[in-house]
């Protein structure tokens, strides 16, 4: 098992995801250390370590007494380079994430409209297995795969179902790769389960728009996290 990632590096990932992925433009100021410490429930010392790491990676400028600012142009231009590196490192993974975003977002919407009790039971079983599999990566992988395939089956669209089963091997590889990245931080396991639970609840309640929104957010977040991992030079470990 990989060593637990240091707290300030995990925090740096979260700050990048929250603020540098598009919420702030180059040249704009990050929240103060005090605000960030309150938001992420960590000490200001940890915040300083995370910001220093981001500065060393060329993502922000820290001005003495003046706060931290998104570095002009560097992050966005570097982000494109990093995305290119991710594609080169794991081309099928990145392409599958693009395809999953298109296929699974619509599947979640249709599943919310068409899922029957048997479909929902399959999804609940997959969720339960995910919860039981924290120390069993093989079971966790199968449960995650079963959940996503179960959503496509709940669309009752024969083409969607045939397509997802044809792509099963690629789906499994993509989920395994992204799990290997995500679960370097053990706390992300619970986050992942919660994301899946929210998608399930939207489908079970028949809220197609919410299910669609949550699935798009889920797949997009996975892709963004792969980019973040490359920012800190962890891509080779994926």
């Amino acid at each position: 098992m990989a060593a637990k990632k240091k707290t300030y590096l995990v925090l740096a990932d979260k700050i990048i995801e929250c603020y540098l992925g598009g919420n702030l433009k180059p040249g704009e100021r990050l929240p103060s250390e005090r605000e960030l410490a309150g938001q992420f429930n960590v000490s200001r010392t940890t915040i300083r370590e995370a910001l220093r790491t981001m500065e060393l990676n060329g993502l922000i400028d820290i001005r003495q007494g003046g706060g931290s600012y998104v570095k002009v142009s560097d992050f966005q231009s570097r982000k494109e380079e990093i995305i290119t590196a991710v594609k080169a490192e794991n081309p099928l993974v990145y392409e599958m994430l693009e395809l999953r975003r298109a296929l699974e977002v619509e599947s979640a919407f249709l599943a919310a409209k068409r899922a029957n009790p048997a479909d929902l039971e399959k999804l609940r079983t997959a969720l339960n297995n995910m919860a039981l599999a924290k120390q069993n990566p093989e079971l966790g992988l199968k449960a995650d795969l079963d959940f996503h395939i179960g959503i496509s089956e709940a669309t009752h669209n024969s083409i969607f179902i045939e397509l997802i089963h044809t792509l099963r091997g690629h789906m499994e590889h993509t989920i395994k790769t992204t799990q290997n990245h995500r679960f370097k931080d053990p706390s992300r396991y619970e986050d992942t389960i919660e994301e899946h639970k929210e998608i399930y609840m939207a489908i079970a309640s028949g809220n197609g728009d919410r299910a669609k929104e949550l699935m798009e957010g889920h797949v997009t977040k996975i892709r963004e996290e792969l980019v973040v991992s490359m920012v800190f030079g962890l891509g080779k470990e994926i």
Side-chain angles (χ1 to χ4, degrees):
M1 180 179 293
K4 185 176 180 180
K5 199 172 181 182
K6 293 181 179 179
T7 302
Y8 72 90
L9 290 176
V10 174
L11 178 61
D13 288 350
K14 291 179 179 178
I15 294 173
I16 292 170
E17 182 182 338
C18 187
Y19 292 105
L20 274 68
N23 291 336
L24 289 180
K25 296 177 182 178
E28 290 188 336
R29 188 177 185 275
L30 287 168
S32 68
E33 290 181 2
R34 184 184 300 277
E35 290 170 324
L36 290 171
Q39 178 181 347
F40 294 104
N41 195 29
V42 297
S43 70
R44 292 180 68 176
T45 299
T46 303
I47 290 292
R48 291 190 194 103
E49 290 175 337
L51 293 176
R52 178 60 177 160
T53 297
M54 292 168 63
E55 183 181 42
L56 290 173
N57 279 274
L59 304 180
I60 62 173
D61 283 319
I62 299 177
R63 302 175 188 173
Q64 190 68 32
S68 302
Y69 294 78
V70 179
K71 202 161 185 178
V72 176
S73 76
D74 281 8
F75 179 73
Q76 291 303 325
S77 62
R78 189 176 178 193
K79 182 176 177 181
E80 293 305 314
E81 293 174 4
I82 293 164
I83 289 174
T84 299
V86 173
K87 289 179 178 179
E89 184 74 21
N90 285 294
L92 287 179
V93 170
Y94 199 88
E95 289 174 5
M96 271 301 298
L97 286 172
E98 290 180 338
L99 179 59
R100 284 181 60 186
R101 186 174 180 180
L103 176 62
E104 293 196 79
V105 169
E106 186 63 21
S107 290
F109 176 82
L110 293 176
K113 302 298 183 183
R114 301 174 182 175
N116 59 36
D119 296 323
L120 295 178
E121 178 60 29
K122 286 181 181 179
L123 296 180
R124 284 196 299 271
T125 298
L127 281 174
N128 289 337
N129 287 337
M130 286 180 69
L132 294 171
K134 191 169 184 177
Q135 304 301 327
N136 188 336
E138 187 174 340
L139 176 60
L141 172 62
K142 183 180 185 302
D144 201 330
L145 182 62
D146 287 346
F147 182 83
H148 287 278
I149 288 178
I151 290 174
S152 291
E153 292 176 340
T155 67
H156 296 276
N157 179 308
S158 62
I159 303 298
F160 272 30
I161 295 170
E162 181 180 358
L163 182 57
I164 204 70
H165 279 285
T166 299
L167 295 170
R168 184 184 181 97
H170 290 314
M171 282 280 291
E172 183 174 7
H173 175 62
T174 301
I175 291 172
K176 182 176 182 179
T177 299
T178 56
Q179 282 186 350
N180 286 343
H181 158 67
R182 261 196 165 192
F183 300 160
K184 287 175 184 175
D185 173 9
S187 69
R188 297 311 305 277
Y189 196 88
E190 296 300 329
D191 293 341
T192 298
I193 293 176
E194 189 60 32
E195 287 174 25
H196 287 78
K197 283 182 179 177
E198 289 180 355
I199 293 169
Y200 167 77
M201 292 302 296
I203 291 172
S205 64
N207 190 335
D209 289 335
R210 180 62 175 158
K212 187 174 184 177
E213 177 187 1
L214 288 168
M215 182 61 80
E216 182 168 17
H218 175 61
V219 178
T220 298
K221 181 182 289 187
I222 290 170
R223 189 174 63 176
E224 288 294 319
E225 287 176 351
L226 285 176
V227 173
V228 167
S229 76
M230 294 293 287
V231 169
F232 289 101
L234 300 178
K236 298 294 183 181
E237 299 176 19
I238 294 175

